Amino acid sequence: MSRKKNNSKREPMMFSFGDPEPVLNNSITQALGCFYSDWQKYYEPPISFSGLDKMTHANPYHSTSIFFKRNQMVKLFKPNSLLRLTDFHRLALDYLTFGNAFALAVKNYLGHIIRLKHIPALNIRRGKDNIYYQIKQGSYEPVPFKRGEVLHVMTYSTGQSLYGVPEWYSGLHSALLNSEATLFRRRYYKNGAHLGYILFTSSPDITPEIEKMITEQVSKGKGVGNFKSMYINLPNANEKALQVIPVGDINQKDEFEKIKNISADDVIVAHRVPPALAGVKPTNTGGFGDIEKIDSVYQKNEVIPLTLPFLELNDQLQSSQRIEFNKPNNTI
C-alpha cells in the first residue's frame, strides 16, 4: 500500500510585534491640555504635578541639573523686604521642577503688595477668573484664594496657557529609562541571575534524600547567599553524572553601561547643562576644556534667561520694591 505524497505547499507566514510602546502608560506628549472640573472648580494641570515631583528623586542626573540651576538663580538674586531669600529659593525650585511657581501676595490696608510668600506649587490649581485653589490631602473641597492674591510665574506652553510645562520635559523618557535600568540591574544582582546555571544530574546513585537536599541548597541560592558554594560526592558515578550548565553571565550583555550613558546624555541635553558643570566624569584625557569659559557662557546664555520670568512680576509691584538680580561676575 503506497502513501500519497503531499505536494501542497505551505504559504510563508509573517507577523510583527507592533510599534514601540511609550515608557508611560499613555502618550502624555500628545494629550497636553487643561480640562476644567465643575466639581473641583479648577483646571487640571496638563502634566501630573505629583509625577513631576517624584521624578526629581528618580534620576541623579535629572535632580542634579535642577538643583544646580536653582543654585545659580539663587546666587544672582537680590533679597529685599518684599521677597526674602528663603522664599525665592523655593520659588526657583518649583519653577524648575513644575514649570510653575506661585507666590502669595500679602497686601496692606491700601491694597499694596508688601510681601511675597512662597506657596508650594504641588498643591496649587488654577480656576476661572484668575482665582487659584489649594488642594489639601484628605479634603475633597479645595481652599480658594482671593482674586489677585496669588502671583503665577510659569514657562510658556504652546498647548495651553493656564499652566507652564517644564523645559526639561522632552528628557522625561530618558530619565525614566536611566532609573529603570538601575532598578533592573539591582534586581539582576540581588536574585543571582548573573550567576545562573542548570544543575543536571543523571546518576542512579542519587537517592530521593540527596535529591531533596540538593534542591533545598539550590533554592537557597537566591538573594543573600547566592555566592555560596555546594559540595556533592557521588562515589560510583561517571564524569557526566552531574553537570553544571551556565545560563547566566556576569558580563554586561544587556549593555547596561551603554544604556546608562546614552540616557544620561539625553537628560543633560534636555536641561542644557554642560557636562563639566553637571558633575559628569569626562571619558577622554583632555576633559571638557576651560571650565571658567564654560561657566561664563552658561551664566550668560542660561542662568540669566531663567531669571527673566520673575522680573515680569515687577509690573504688579511698587517701584520701591522690585525684584532684582545681580549680573554674574564672570560673564564674558
Side-chain angles (χ1 to χ4, degrees), residues 199-206 232 234 236-244:
L199 183 62
F200 175 78
T201 60
S202 61
S203 173
D205 297 328
I206 297 180
I232 301 175
L234 301 175
N236 300 321
N238 57 43
E239 62 179 5
K240 293 185 177 181
L242 188 145
Q243 300 181 54
V244 177

Side-chain angles (χ1 to χ4, degrees), residues 34-52:
C34 299
F35 303 95
Y36 183 76
S37 172
D38 291 324
W39 173 61
Q40 295 175 319
K41 302 177 182 179
Y42 58 77
Y43 292 93
E44 288 288 349
I47 309 173
S48 169
F49 280 8
S50 177
L52 294 176

Side-chain angles (χ1 to χ4, degrees), residues 60-74:
Y61 297 100
H62 173 57
S63 61
T64 296
S65 299
I66 288 181
F67 296 145
F68 174 75
K69 294 164 74 173
R70 185 270 317 271
N71 293 341
Q72 299 305 304
M73 295 174 64
V74 171

Side-chain angles (χ1 to χ4, degrees), residues 36-43 45 49 102 119-136 140-147 149-150 163:
Y36 183 76
S37 172
D38 291 324
W39 173 61
Q40 295 175 319
K41 302 177 182 179
Y42 58 77
Y43 292 93
F49 280 8
F102 302 93
I119 311 173
L122 180 63
N123 299 322
I124 300 299
R125 300 294 182 267
R126 186 169 182 171
K128 293 182 177 180
D129 301 325
N130 200 29
I131 296 178
Y132 291 82
Y133 295 84
Q134 184 177 36
I135 57 177
K136 294 186 177 181
Y140 296 99
E141 190 71 21
V143 179
F145 291 94
K146 296 179 182 179
R147 183 180 286 105
E149 193 176 16
V150 174
Y163 293 96

Side-chain angles (χ1 to χ4, degrees), residues 48-282:
S48 169
F49 280 8
S50 177
L52 294 176
D53 177 58
K54 293 177 181 177
M55 274 302 303
T56 306
H57 311 284
N59 180 274
Y61 297 100
H62 173 57
S63 61
T64 296
S65 299
I66 288 181
F67 296 145
F68 174 75
K69 294 164 74 173
R70 185 270 317 271
N71 293 341
Q72 299 305 304
M73 295 174 64
V74 171
K75 182 175 66 175
L76 301 182
F77 175 68
K78 290 182 178 180
N80 54 37
S81 59
L82 176 73
L83 182 59
R84 297 177 181 176
L85 182 61
T86 302
D87 289 297
F88 179 75
H89 190 278
R90 298 172 180 177
L91 286 170
L93 184 59
D94 278 353
Y95 178 75
L96 296 170
T97 302
F98 305 104
N100 299 269
F102 302 93
L104 176 65
V106 180
K107 301 180 181 180
N108 58 16
Y109 65 94
L110 295 177
H112 298 153
I113 298 176
I114 59 174
R115 177 78 188 281
L116 292 179
K117 292 185 178 181
H118 165 260
I119 311 173
L122 180 63
N123 299 322
I124 300 299
R125 300 294 182 267
R126 186 169 182 171
K128 293 182 177 180
D129 301 325
N130 200 29
I131 296 178
Y132 291 82
Y133 295 84
Q134 184 177 36
I135 57 177
K136 294 186 177 181
Q137 187 176 5
S139 176
Y140 296 99
E141 190 71 21
V143 179
F145 291 94
K146 296 179 182 179
R147 183 180 286 105
E149 193 176 16
V150 174
L151 302 186
H152 188 181
V153 181
M154 66 178 184
T155 59
Y156 171 68
S157 172
T158 58
Q160 43 78 40
S161 59
L162 298 175
Y163 293 96
V165 175
E167 294 180 351
W168 55 263
Y169 183 69
S170 60
L172 177 63
H173 292 293
S174 296
L176 288 172
L177 176 61
N178 192 285
S179 175
E180 289 165 358
T182 302
L183 292 175
F184 169 79
R185 197 65 174 181
R186 286 184 60 196
R187 297 189 184 102
Y188 185 67
Y189 273 90
K190 186 175 181 180
N191 63 18
H194 59 295
L195 295 176
Y197 62 90
I198 296 175
L199 183 62
F200 175 78
T201 60
S202 61
S203 173
D205 297 328
I206 297 180
T207 63
E209 291 76 14
I210 297 178
E211 182 180 355
K212 181 179 179 181
M213 180 188 67
I214 294 175
T215 302
E216 291 177 351
Q217 292 298 321
V218 171
S219 63
K220 293 178 181 179
K222 295 182 179 180
V224 179
N226 53 18
F227 294 105
K228 288 184 177 179
S229 300
M230 179 172 55
Y231 171 75
I232 301 175
N233 181 23
L234 301 175
N236 300 321
N238 57 43
E239 62 179 5
K240 293 185 177 181
L242 188 145
Q243 300 181 54
V244 177
I245 305 175
V247 294
D249 194 347
I250 196 170
N251 295 328
Q252 298 179 356
K253 288 188 176 181
D254 60 344
E255 299 184 343
F256 171 73
E257 185 176 357
K258 184 181 294 185
I259 294 174
K260 291 285 292 183
N261 291 338
I262 293 177
S263 58
D265 291 342
D266 288 346
V267 173
I268 294 175
V269 169
H271 281 283
R272 298 189 303 277
V273 176
L277 302 179
V280 177
K281 182 180 179 181

